[in-house]
Amino acid sequence: MNMLNNTRDAACVEGVALTTIAAQFGTPCYVYSRAALTAAHASYQNALAGRNARICYAVKANSTLAILNVFARLGAGFDIVSGGELARVIAAGGDPAKVVFSGVGKSRAEMQQALAADIHCFNVESASELELLNTVAGEMGRRAPIALRVNPNVDPKTHPYISTGLKTSKFGVAFASARDLYHRARTLPHLDIRGIACHIGSQLLDPQPAADAASRVLELVDNLAAEGIELQHIDLGGGMGIRYRAETVLPTADYLAPLLARLAGRREMLLFEPGRSLVGNAGLLLTRVEVLKPGAEKNFAVVDAAMNDLARPALYDAFHEIVKVGAGGTASAGIAANMGTASETKTYEIVGPICESGDFLGHDRELALAEGDLLAILSAGAYGMAMSSNYNTRPRAAEVMVDGNQMHLIRRREEVAQLFALESVLP
Ligand code: LLP
């Protein structure tokens, strides 16, 4: 899905032209569509209609408050991986009672914070975590609700950096040891066994691995029930992929169908933790061409966004479609007369200004560019802003959400002075 529409003479997100957003808020700037966020959420709701199920948005994909708030208003729960994310969920109006807390290294302080907030469940990922959580809950005079995150050893057939369900992965507890750990948990006085969780990877396009993982999990759930450990929920994680390029992406209902077929008639509540599929194609990164630079072998278009704004190309060699959405005129660099006219299509490396060869946003893009042109880097709503940094002392981008004909600044562009406000020099 492409959130851009070109129905008028301008490229728009919903009813607002990207040129208007760039003129008002500058570039680089993340732009989101409330309608696209809502539609993505609705696709899960519709697929799960009639079931006892909850969508827990994976906050890590994009933790900007306005995004969390849109999902909170839609009734979503949240999957968090840090105390910081819990604080964001609460600040954005999310309900802690619908929060699940994943992650391999929860600290004592994070456990205390989440217990005090009365979250729905801790997804416990190791034997040590189980013991520590019991201790911390005991100190607070509470019982911690837990699920074990099991590792079903299913190959999700995705990028190795985002595969999480294999035996070799650091995530979850080994499938073979899960049963013993549940029995151990039952003996610990400050734990309350609630469910089971698994998440096998991200950007999954084939629905089969998730369905296979669900089958393995169900087998375990039934064995546990036979031994007197009754679980109340089954959390099947996130992972559904989105279209970045030419991938064939199933509609949500079709992706979930094989998995839901295996869960037919179950009494446990189902939880899902989608991240990318809720926000990925609801956001783009708006950037302006600063300099066109012919090289010996390649033509470079240096834009004002960089790997600090969108790390995915540098980190995973990820592909993001890049389209021209406005003609130039306001570039900070001068016009290079030797670069031809805007109508001449050339093959460009789209790169940022950071001092690293890995600082690219796209290779070999056929575009007709002039300095000052406005580009949109698509499918950037997930793991874009959330993974941005201040490398090269670059202030992070502004973020804008479009809602119909309105645009809202949801995060101001950082200012340089803020970037070293917490630092001090030696006396
Ligand atoms: N639940 C757990 C426990 C996870 O670890 C993740 C993602 C999710 C849910 C959400 O998965 P999603 O629906 O977004 O696929 N930075 C990488 C992706 C890392 C995913 C980490 N875990 C990227 O930019 O592709």
Side-chain angles (χ1 to χ4, degrees):
M1 193 194 84
N2 183 341
M3 69 189 264
L4 278 181
N5 60 69
N6 298 296
T7 47
R8 302 202 319 229
D9 52 354
C12 296
V13 168
E14 300 188 37
V16 180
L18 288 169
T19 47
T20 306
I21 295 175
Q24 176 127 1
F25 302 110
T27 53
C29 177
Y30 276 97
V31 181
Y32 307 103
S33 157
R34 182 182 188 176
L37 294 168
T38 304
H41 183 264
S43 78
Y44 274 91
Q45 273 186 320
N46 295 338
L48 298 171
R51 300 199 183 236
N52 178 16
R54 178 178 293 157
I55 301 156
C56 293
Y57 167 61
V59 174
K60 64 169 81 69
N62 188 320
S63 56
T64 300
L65 294 191
I67 302 260
L68 301 181
N69 175 258
V70 166
F71 291 131
R73 291 189 204 202
L74 294 170
F78 297 91
D79 164 45
I80 59 163
V81 290
S82 70
E85 286 190 350
L86 177 57
R88 279 186 174 273
V89 166
I90 292 170
D95 181 358
K98 293 184 187 168
V99 166
V100 295
F101 192 169
S102 307
V104 289
K106 301 173 191 77
S107 71
R108 213 169 217 290
E110 286 175 322
M111 290 175 179
Q112 287 164 345
Q113 181 191 353
L115 282 165
D118 264 326
I119 65 164
H120 176 68
C121 196
F122 289 84
N123 288 345
V124 172
E125 304 215 16
S126 66
S128 301
E129 184 186 340
L130 203 62
E131 303 293 332
L132 180 60
L133 187 55
N134 178 61
T135 305
V136 173
E139 287 164 3
M140 293 174 71
R142 311 181 76 118
R143 279 160 69 92
I146 65 133
L148 285 180
R149 175 170 173 190
V150 299
N151 198 333
N153 196 27
V154 169
D155 185 353
K157 302 185 197 133
T158 184
H159 191 290
Y161 283 17
I162 49 180
S163 295
T164 47
L166 288 170
K167 259 195 222 165
T168 47
S169 145
K170 74 173 176 180
F171 299 100
V173 300
F175 206 78
S177 62
R179 195 179 145 266
D180 285 351
L181 280 175
Y182 272 107
H183 283 278
R184 171 70 185 151
R186 183 152 66 162
T187 68
L188 295 173
H190 306 293
L191 299 184
D192 181 9
I193 299 175
R194 289 277 177 86
I196 190 163
C198 87
H199 168 82
I200 57 172
S202 200
Q203 184 55 17
L204 311 186
L205 299 171
D206 177 353
Q208 216 49 53
D212 292 347
S215 293
R216 296 215 69 192
V217 167
L218 287 180
E219 208 183 291
L220 186 55
V221 171
D222 291 338
N223 290 340
L224 288 168
E227 294 165 357
I229 299 178
E230 298 259 355
L231 303 184
Q232 294 159 35
H233 76 242
I234 301 176
D235 177 345
L236 293 159
M240 188 175 81
I242 62 166
R243 186 173 182 283
Y244 283 99
R245 191 176 201 168
E247 302 93 337
T248 306
V249 175
L250 296 173
T252 309
D254 295 354
Y255 179 84
L256 292 179
L259 182 156
L260 291 175
R262 298 186 197 193
L263 291 157
R266 305 284 313 193
R267 52 160 201 88
E268 299 89 354
M269 182 183 200
L270 301 182
L271 304 187
F272 291 91
E273 303 171 355
R276 188 191 317 266
S277 51
L278 287 181
V279 292
N281 272 327
L284 58 77
L285 176 57
L286 202 53
T287 182
R288 207 176 274 288
V289 178
E290 294 277 17
V291 174
L292 293 180
K293 187 174 169 184
E297 309 239 324
K298 306 237 181 207
N299 294 311
F300 292 96
V302 186
V303 300
D304 63 5
M307 65 189 282
N308 75 297
D309 299 299
L310 180 64
R312 302 190 72 258
L315 205 51
Y316 314 117
D317 208 15
F319 179 95
H320 286 261
E321 198 176 321
I322 301 177
V323 295
K324 179 168 154 175
V325 293
T330 55
S332 55
I335 301 295
N338 61 344
M339 280 305 291
T341 65
S343 57
E344 202 180 329
T345 299
K346 294 184 178 178
T347 306
Y348 285 101
E349 292 291 295
I350 311 293
V351 302
I354 284 182
C355 304
E356 296 231 14
S357 299
D359 180 26
F360 69 92
L361 297 164
H363 293 305
D364 296 328
R365 303 305 171 89
E366 302 283 325
L367 288 163
L369 295 180
E371 293 179 347
D373 279 354
L374 199 58
L375 304 181
I377 304 174
L378 304 183
S379 312
Y383 307 109
M385 188 63 177
M387 289 172 70
S388 65
S389 78
N390 294 121
Y391 189 37
N392 279 205
T393 306
R394 287 170 50 87
R396 264 175 295 193
E399 292 180 287
V400 169
M401 192 174 311
V402 175
D403 184 10
N405 294 323
Q406 306 284 314
M407 53 184 179
H408 302 279
L409 181 64
I410 58 170
R411 180 177 167 131
R412 270 188 296 143
R413 183 178 308 288
E414 277 174 350
E415 286 164 26
V416 170
Q418 296 174 322
L419 305 190
F420 48 81
L422 302 179
E423 301 174 31
S424 44
V425 297
L426 296 184

